Amino acid sequence: MIQIGLVGKANVGKSSFFKASTLADVKIASYPFTTIESNVGMAHVILDCVCKEFGTKCNPRLGKCENGKRFVPVKLIDVGGLVPGSHLGKGLGNKFLDDIRQASVLIQIVDCSGLTDSEGKPTKNYDPSKEIEFLADEINLWFAGVIKRALEKFKRKLETSSRTDLIQTLTQELSGLEVRKEHIEQALEKAPITDIEKFARSIREFSKPIIIAANKIDLKPAQDNFEKLKEKCKLVIPTSAEAEIALKKASEQDLVDYLPGDGFEIKGKPEEKQLGALEFIKKEVIDKYNSTGIQTCLNKVVFELLDYMAIYPVADVNKLTDKDGKVLPDTFLVPKGTTVKELAFMVHTELGEKFICGIDARTKRKLSGDYQLKNNDVVEIAFAK
Ligand SMILES: Nc1nc2c(ncn2[C@@H]2O[C@H](COP(=O)(O)OP(=O)(O)OP(=O)(O)O)[C@@H](O)[C@H]2O)c(=O)[nH]1
Ligand SMILES: [Mg+2]
């Protein structure tokens, strides 16, 4: 399952983002370093399910499908606040950074209101672009440290080995950091292995890209800062974790019609205070930014930043079922370029080892092992029994 890391300085709303996405009851407070043990939970990306096209009703094993919108689980990791010097162990920096080793992508939550300083303490007019810079530096330096240690024992060998051997050794040694072979190849184009810091920065950029969530966008100063931030960073999404928590709560109470990522309609009779809060969210967040941004962030990291596709493996292309008769039970999120044979291994090692061919559910044609899958492919894997 894809792992997404939530990072950022202290007191910016990481745990609020986590709670809004997973509905887990985690500790949230208006002081820095509230989180001291990382939280891990399940969030979802939401996509158009293929069940509609096939005119069938699906039975997702994980997540759910409502009105053709499929909720596919992704793992979310909420770590404690990072500070300048975290990579050297300041705060609980090293521990938190270790917890995001397995993440394929990071969402940096930023306090866009500028009402907290670099250590998460209350202030005024803090420039949020500063925390974006220091955080990327911390993560890059931590990466450089891990890579340096991992390569120490191979130093001599790496200097004399061929490019192919070098890439193979690095792929093995860095697999625990979710670094794939193509990330190493891309990074080597940009920096030589001898320049560890530059090389590490480059691998980090390819293997753990960062998107910025400009959080607390419901607050006026955040709205002003956001306009400036947009000019400086390409990948910045306005978010209000607090608004998302309020909307999910109101939806559970059946007071609003709400599909995360969209606006909402009030349908019940909220009490005066809750009605006021909902009206505030509509005016300050939805009318200005179209949504609370939380779901937008999750979907964007998976389908744009990582450029993943949704694939539906089945055991029977005619019935679209698994061996227990469940219709379209799984949605796999896989990188572009994934082949049918690679998919077979992802479903089950044995399926990969005994692989014969794939079968396309739309055309019923056979697919060879090196066929590159397309988004929304529904495939059966034929294997030797
Ligand atoms: N106005 C507003 N406040 C928010 C929002 N998100 C979080 N907060 C508030 O910001 C404070 C910190 O939130 P947390 O979620 O605990 O922040 P954190 O980044 O996990 O903090 P640490 O674990 O201490 O690093 C709390 O008072 C939240 O209620 C938001 O979107 N809007
Ligand atoms: Mg927290």
Side-chain angles (χ1 to χ4, degrees):
M1 193 180 292
I2 298 183
Q3 302 200 19
I4 302 174
L6 299 177
V7 293
K9 72 174 195 193
N11 213 0
V12 292
K14 297 179 294 301
S15 298
S16 302
F17 188 115
F18 180 84
K19 178 174 177 174
S21 321
T22 61
L23 297 179
D25 201 11
V26 293
K27 195 166 174 197
I28 292 170
S30 60
Y31 48 82
F33 310 110
T34 304
T35 304
I36 43 173
E37 287 290 339
S38 300
N39 299 303
V40 179
M42 198 113 91
H44 297 91
V45 289
I46 304 178
L47 46 89
D48 290 322
C49 183
V50 293
C51 66
K52 258 195 169 163
E53 178 197 333
F54 282 91
T56 181
K57 198 172 167 349
C58 60
N59 320 109
R61 207 190 309 272
L62 296 170
K64 59 181 177 177
C65 189
E66 280 174 1
N67 305 319
K69 295 281 180 198
R70 183 110 173 191
F71 291 58
V72 182
V74 293
K75 195 164 155 184
L76 211 57
I77 310 156
D78 162 39
V79 302
L82 299 170
V83 289
S86 277
H87 78 281
L88 298 171
K90 196 168 170 217
L92 289 168
N94 278 336
K95 177 164 114 65
F96 294 147
L97 288 164
D98 260 355
D99 290 337
I100 52 163
R101 274 172 177 259
Q102 297 280 308
S104 303
V105 63
L106 304 174
I107 301 176
Q108 180 183 357
I109 318 291
V110 165
D111 180 351
C112 197
S113 72
L115 297 175
T116 49
D117 68 12
S118 66
E119 304 212 323
K121 297 193 203 96
T123 186
K124 277 192 186 134
N125 300 323
Y126 180 83
D127 174 1
S129 68
K130 280 201 209 152
E131 66 197 72
I132 296 177
E133 277 164 33
F134 96 68
L135 200 102
D137 286 347
E138 285 306 319
I139 294 190
N140 292 341
L141 290 168
W142 160 69
F143 230 69
V146 178
I147 291 180
K148 218 182 266 176
R149 280 194 298 280
L151 298 187
E152 214 97 86
K153 50 186 169 175
F154 294 100
K155 202 160 179 265
R156 187 125 310 134
K157 192 174 147 209
L158 290 177
E159 279 160 11
T160 54
S161 59
S162 69
R163 187 181 153 90
T164 318
D165 287 347
L166 173 68
I167 290 173
Q168 201 188 356
T169 310
L170 286 171
T171 307
Q172 265 168 16
E173 286 305 307
L174 302 181
S175 63
L177 279 173
E178 276 305 294
V179 170
R180 294 200 311 266
K181 187 168 161 236
E182 57 268 31
H183 301 140
I184 294 168
E185 287 166 345
Q186 287 165 321
L188 282 171
E189 297 290 313
K190 294 211 151 182
I193 180 85
T194 41
D195 188 343
I196 286 276
E197 269 185 25
K198 196 164 170 209
F199 177 66
R201 184 171 70 224
S202 188
I203 293 203
R204 202 283 298 155
E205 284 168 1
F206 289 118
S207 65
K208 292 195 204 303
I210 305 178
I211 197 171
I212 307 295
N215 197 37
K216 309 196 184 178
I217 203 69
D218 49 286
L219 301 176
K220 268 267 149 28
Q223 301 180 354
D224 298 337
N225 286 333
F226 177 63
E227 295 309 313
K228 284 181 249 157
L229 217 51
K230 255 195 320 196
E231 284 164 24
K232 284 196 185 168
C233 333
K234 282 188 297 196
L235 288 167
V236 51
I237 297 176
T239 61
S240 173
E242 208 164 79
E244 180 73 3
I245 294 173
L247 289 179
K248 291 257 173 80
K249 210 180 264 171
S251 173
E252 272 176 7
Q253 297 167 330
D254 238 6
L255 295 172
V256 294
D257 260 331
Y258 179 54
L259 174 69
D262 272 354
F264 68 94
E265 293 293 334
I266 296 176
K267 61 174 179 184
K269 279 219 172 326
E271 283 172 24
E272 202 175 319
K273 197 167 154 222
Q274 201 173 8
L275 182 64
L278 291 171
E279 282 170 348
F280 174 82
I281 292 170
K282 177 147 191 345
K283 180 164 164 275
E284 292 302 323
V285 182
I286 309 291
D287 287 353
K288 289 184 178 166
Y289 305 101
N290 299 321
S291 79
T292 67
I294 303 296
Q295 193 59 46
T296 315
C297 252
L298 293 170
N299 269 45
K300 221 177 173 91
V301 295
V302 173
F303 297 112
E304 289 183 34
L305 215 55
L306 291 176
D307 210 8
Y308 274 31
M309 316 178 284
I311 306 293
Y312 300 76
V314 292
D316 180 332
V317 272
N318 295 310
K319 297 189 190 137
L320 305 178
T321 53
D322 65 3
K323 60 181 180 5
D324 303 322
K326 281 200 159 81
V327 179
L328 297 166
D330 299 306
T331 312
F332 276 53
L333 300 171
V334 302
K336 278 231 171 93
T338 299
T339 63
V340 176
K341 185 140 189 205
E342 284 166 344
L343 175 74
F345 272 104
M346 288 176 194
V347 176
H348 203 291
T349 316
E350 205 185 333
L351 216 53
E353 281 162 358
K354 297 186 175 168
F355 177 86
I356 299 175
C357 67
I359 306 167
D360 184 318
R362 290 187 180 83
T363 61
K364 309 288 189 286
R365 282 213 196 100
K366 279 189 183 170
L367 305 168
S368 66
D370 59 5
Y371 169 85
Q372 292 196 350
L373 292 157
K374 296 187 306 298
N375 190 34
N376 286 337
D377 268 348
V378 180
V379 275
E380 175 182 331
I381 312 270
F383 62 103
K385 291 183 181 133

